[in-house]
Amino acid sequence: MATTNPTHSADGHGAGTHDEHAHGHIGRGTYFRVFGALMVLMILTVVAFYVEPLLGFNRLVGVIIAMAIACTKTALIVLYFMHIKISERITQLYAAASFVGFALLVIIVMIDYFARGWPPAPGPLP
Amino acid sequence: MATTALPQSTYLHDDTPGLWAWIKSWLFTVDHKRIAILYLLSINFFFLLGGLAATVVRIELVTPQGDLMSSDVYNRAFTLHGVIMVFFFLIPVIPSVLGNFLVPLMIGARDLAFPRINLLSWYLYMFGGIFALSAAVLGGVDTGWTFYTPFSSTYSNSNVILTIAGAFIMGFSSIATGLNFIVTIHKMRAPGMTWFRLPLFIWSHYATSLIIVLATPVVGITLLLVAIERIWGVGIFDPALGGDPVLFQHLFWFYSHPAVYIMILPGFGVISELIATFSRKRIFGYEFIAFSSMAIAILGFLVWGHHMFVSSQSVYASLIFSFITMLVAIPSAIKVFNWTATLYKGSISYRTPMLYALGFIGLFVIGGLTGIFLGVVAVDIHVTDTYFVVAHFHYVMVGGTIMAYLGGLHYWWPKMTGRMYNEVWGGISALIVFVGFNMTFFPQFVLGYLGMPRRYHVYPEEFQILHVLSTAGASILAIGFIIPIIYLMGSLIAGKPAGDNPWDATGLEWQTSSPPPTHNFHETPIVTTEAYAYPPEAAELDARSWRPGSPL
């Protein structure tokens, strides 16, 4: 199946893989800006909680606003603090796959919740 | 082929002076082969323990009355059996033992990508095991291995949290192993080892690792939520507190159905290797088998609701889950048909690993097809929580995973230890396992169909004959498991040196010495051919040169 190569490093890096050192770099300034953005979003969440009732928003709108802020914060953390923005394509693919898996879990479970009672169960026989 | 002595410089040899230094050299090793041996010993210990719990259950069921133990003790016995077998044996066994040993060897690497994380995974496994065992010692847990709420979160007065903590910690061990495999397979393949030259064992471990890293966190969080509800009374699953018990089942089965594929996919990889080697043929439909592993991994995430047909899940959700469940049969059948096609006109030799492989195919087909029955809503409602389900998943897990594990262990034992075992005893024990297994679990299909519910320690008298048959089969099965322990241990002392490639197999692991040196290869292999590159005429030449008395 194989021949051997005494001159090649025994680490045996993957055939056909890209140079993994070709990474980008996130500067310290960016980390501080992202941190600042996270703090602002956190304050925004708290403010929204108190302001929404004053503006007469119903609870569902409040939940949507809170979720939107939370998703933005998650995206910032994943992209910058977890280095996904400057990672290799395969790492980005795995990160995306985990979100697809999570989305499947939430969507299918919610479909079950919405569809319960369809069709209505027949009542007791006369 | 066979040599007269073992090589001097292997991963098993130590120059360290003194017992303590020797123990330290094992407990702090970062060599993937030594970690595989640590896993081999600890996982087999848990297997024996889980088997002991199963023995207690089977003995109780010999008679219709609950005369050996109370219902409460019986609940704790089958829960112990389930928790140990699922979390501490079936899920880790093939990846952690065979995968750890073989993944780097098969792809021509010196070790896994993260050797220290690999060692950490073994420690996490042991800590998780200690938690689960301490729960058993302190009185056990009575929820069943599924920890269904609200019983587990509110009503059970047994050691739920300790057991959950054990499974939770064990999950991190799994994730560490899966992560290591993914990075290693992507980054550390030898020059020339392209994706379509990878052995199918590697493809199946890649698919398994994908499931592990994506699904295990979900069960970890789910179990944590049960603990939070139990400790602080936060309403998550208990309806009395505003929670929903069906949510637990969704979250639990989102992991635990893919977990079935964590158990069986590595077994598929083992069987592909065995079938090709002992048929002396290139595997039929390599690409189809490789992609079917990936298809099973992906589809496995979409079918969890077939465990919940009677849970008050929406009828429409059940129909969709039922339909997608049928789709899983396609990649599974692709594998079975391709293995069978590989056997066709092959030079088949009935060595011990091959006996396990052939047994696997038959038993997995039964396990898989009964899974189709259970995927049909109408049939499932009839047999839910009966022995039909118990028989089905034992056909998949014992008939599948354990047969593959034993086949793989026998196949690579000469590589791991450098020594051959007694082939006669190997064949006998494989047959005993096959007979004992069928005798244990086939009657359970009938029992379930006739209405015997699972998890009951008393039952109507008309079921006794089938239960006695099942318990007798379990005794035979136990003998079949004990015999290999004896002759494999014996082979370490008196086994003939195996030589580098006792099976005349292809694959990089057979190109290095047996046992391999610490860094696997003295020179990095360069791969120039596909996997399973048996010469096309190999089977024909073997058949012509066969004479009475030649090994089968």
Side-chain angles (χ1 to χ4, degrees):
Chain A
M1 182 178 181
T3 57
T4 53
N5 176 15
T7 60
H8 196 281
S9 154
D11 289 341
H13 281 290
T17 54
H18 302 295
D19 177 11
E20 66 270 30
H21 300 295
H23 291 169
H25 174 71
I26 296 176
R28 187 178 291 183
T30 309
Y31 283 129
F32 279 115
R33 279 194 292 276
V34 171
F35 179 73
L38 289 171
M39 291 299 109
V40 169
L41 289 167
M42 184 182 71
I43 293 164
L44 205 61
T45 311
V46 178
V47 170
F49 176 76
Y50 288 106
V51 170
E52 282 157 6
L54 301 177
L55 297 175
F57 290 177
N58 71 25
R59 252 182 98 184
L60 182 65
V61 175
V63 169
I64 291 170
I65 291 170
M67 287 297 287
I69 296 172
C71 289
T72 311
K73 286 196 286 189
T74 306
L76 286 173
I77 290 167
V78 169
L79 288 173
Y80 291 96
F81 289 165
M82 295 174 76
H83 291 186
I84 295 299
K85 188 176 165 61
I86 54 163
S87 294
E88 283 182 57
R89 278 288 162 86
I90 187 68
T91 313
Q92 292 176 340
L93 183 67
Y94 264 90
S98 64
F99 280 99
V100 171
F102 181 66
L104 282 174
L105 172 65
V106 173
I107 291 168
I108 296 177
V109 171
M110 291 314 289
I111 286 173
D112 171 39
Y113 276 85
F114 281 119
R116 280 198 200 160
W118 298 357
L125 292 172
Chain B
M1 225 169 4
T3 53
T4 51
L6 296 185
Q8 284 304 307
S9 169
T10 74
Y11 78 99
L12 291 169
H13 281 112
D14 265 314
D15 296 329
T16 44
L19 181 66
W20 176 236
W22 178 78
I23 291 171
K24 265 199 335 189
S25 78
W26 276 90
L27 290 183
F28 297 115
T29 183
V30 288
D31 181 345
H32 67 101
K33 299 178 290 298
R34 284 190 164 208
I35 294 169
I37 299 297
L38 292 175
Y39 263 120
L40 175 76
L41 297 171
S42 40
I43 283 180
N44 283 352
F45 167 75
F46 278 102
F47 176 58
L48 292 177
L49 221 56
L52 206 63
T55 307
V56 170
V57 168
R58 282 310 330 162
I59 291 174
E60 167 56 57
L61 291 170
V62 168
T63 57
Q65 308 81 25
D67 38 17
L68 184 66
M69 61 188 87
S70 67
S71 56
D72 190 42
V73 174
Y74 181 81
N75 289 347
R76 288 161 201 253
F78 73 68
T79 302
L80 184 65
H81 168 68
V83 167
I84 287 182
M85 286 302 200
V86 171
F87 292 110
F88 297 97
F89 177 71
L90 289 163
I91 287 175
V93 63
I94 297 181
S96 298
V97 178
L98 300 178
N100 246 327
F101 197 92
L102 292 161
V103 166
L105 282 167
M106 282 184 162
I107 64 171
R110 284 168 57 160
D111 206 317
L112 287 170
F114 308 114
R116 287 185 179 85
I117 289 182
N118 196 22
L119 180 63
L120 175 69
S121 80
W122 180 72
Y123 276 104
L124 288 172
Y125 172 82
M126 293 306 289
F127 278 125
I130 288 168
F131 268 82
L133 284 186
S134 59
V137 171
L138 294 172
V141 60
D142 60 353
T143 59
W145 77 275
T146 47
F147 304 112
Y148 270 13
T149 55
F151 182 63
S152 65
S153 56
T154 307
Y155 302 107
S156 171
N157 58 0
S158 58
N159 294 294
V160 177
I161 290 176
L162 262 182
T163 314
I164 278 177
F168 182 79
I169 295 168
M170 160 57 206
F172 283 93
S173 166
S174 272
I175 293 169
T177 302
L179 177 76
N180 235 329
F181 286 171
I182 289 170
V183 178
T184 305
I185 294 167
H186 270 284
K187 290 291 183 189
M188 295 178 70
R189 285 172 283 129
M193 180 61 92
T194 58
W195 281 92
F196 290 104
R197 286 179 179 166
L198 286 172
L200 290 165
F201 182 88
I202 300 295
W203 272 101
S204 67
H205 273 72
Y206 185 78
T208 308
S209 305
L210 191 76
I211 304 173
I212 289 174
V213 298
L214 292 179
T216 311
V218 177
V219 80
I221 292 164
T222 309
L223 295 179
L224 206 60
L225 289 175
V226 173
I228 288 170
E229 180 163 300
R230 220 179 142 78
I231 298 169
W232 290 297
V234 179
I236 302 161
F237 303 121
D238 185 356
L241 298 169
D244 180 8
V246 180
L247 176 63
F248 173 84
Q249 294 190 33
H250 274 299
L251 297 175
F252 181 82
W253 289 114
F254 183 80
Y255 164 78
S256 294
H257 190 75
V260 174
Y261 302 116
I262 296 175
M263 299 173 204
I264 196 71
L265 272 173
F268 290 156
V270 171
I271 299 305
S272 296
E273 301 296 318
L274 302 187
I275 294 287
T277 298
F278 294 103
S279 302
R280 308 266 296 140
K281 271 180 73 186
R282 183 187 187 277
I283 196 108
F284 186 89
Y286 170 95
E287 291 83 0
F288 281 88
I289 297 184
F291 282 123
S292 65
S293 293
M294 300 304 288
I296 289 172
I298 294 165
L299 286 173
F301 277 102
L302 302 171
V303 297
W304 77 84
H306 67 215
H307 295 270
M308 300 167 55
F309 288 158
V310 298
S311 69
S312 84
Q313 175 180 250
S314 137
V315 176
Y316 291 100
S318 293
L319 288 176
I320 293 166
F321 279 123
S322 175
F323 176 74
I324 304 174
T325 301
M326 300 299 137
L327 297 182
V328 181
I330 297 170
S332 307
I334 285 173
K335 286 181 185 296
V336 172
F337 284 128
N338 283 337
W339 292 328
T340 317
T342 307
L343 293 171
Y344 179 65
K345 286 192 176 177
S347 174
I348 298 170
S349 49
Y350 295 102
R351 307 298 289 266
T352 306
M354 186 60 158
L355 294 178
Y356 281 110
L358 295 174
F360 172 99
I361 294 176
L363 300 179
F364 175 72
V365 165
I366 297 174
L369 286 178
T370 49
I372 301 281
F373 297 179
L374 290 167
V376 177
V377 180
V379 179
D380 184 80
I381 288 171
H382 176 68
V383 292
T384 285
D385 275 344
T386 69
Y387 265 79
F388 192 91
V389 178
V390 177
H392 155 70
F393 70 70
H394 279 89
Y395 262 82
V396 175
M397 291 175 183
V398 184
T401 308
I402 297 185
M403 292 291 273
Y405 170 59
L406 288 174
L409 192 63
H410 282 83
Y411 180 55
W412 283 292
W413 184 261
K415 180 55 63 183
M416 294 166 111
T417 65
R419 294 187 183 277
M420 292 301 290
Y421 48 84
N422 187 313
E423 187 67 36
V424 175
W425 277 112
I428 290 171
S429 63
L431 292 174
I432 290 175
V433 167
F434 185 79
V435 171
F437 172 82
N438 280 296
M439 203 169 147
T440 308
F441 294 106
F442 201 84
Q444 295 184 8
F445 279 126
V446 185
L447 274 170
Y449 183 75
L450 293 174
M452 168 81 205
R454 65 190 292 202
R455 297 178 168 173
Y456 276 72
H457 79 316
V458 292
Y459 56 84
E461 277 182 12
E462 62 259 36
F463 293 144
Q464 186 173 16
I465 182 71
L466 290 166
H467 271 303
V468 169
L469 202 59
S470 186
T471 301
S475 313
I476 296 171
L477 190 59
I479 293 167
F481 288 143
I482 289 166
I483 293 173
I485 296 174
I486 297 168
Y487 67 74
L488 288 178
M489 291 298 105
S491 78
L492 297 178
I493 302 159
K496 286 181 193 158
D500 295 349
N501 190 0
W503 312 116
D504 205 12
T506 62
L508 291 182
E509 78 271 29
W510 301 108
Q511 313 234 329
T512 189
S513 60
S514 303
T518 301
H519 291 298
N520 296 346
F521 301 96
H522 294 300
E523 294 165 344
T524 301
I526 298 176
V527 182
T528 55
T529 57
E530 63 181 21
Y532 317 111
Y534 292 98
E537 69 284 3
E540 207 175 304
L541 290 174
D542 282 359
R544 263 193 233 145
S545 61
W546 189 86
R547 297 286 177 274
S550 302
L552 280 172

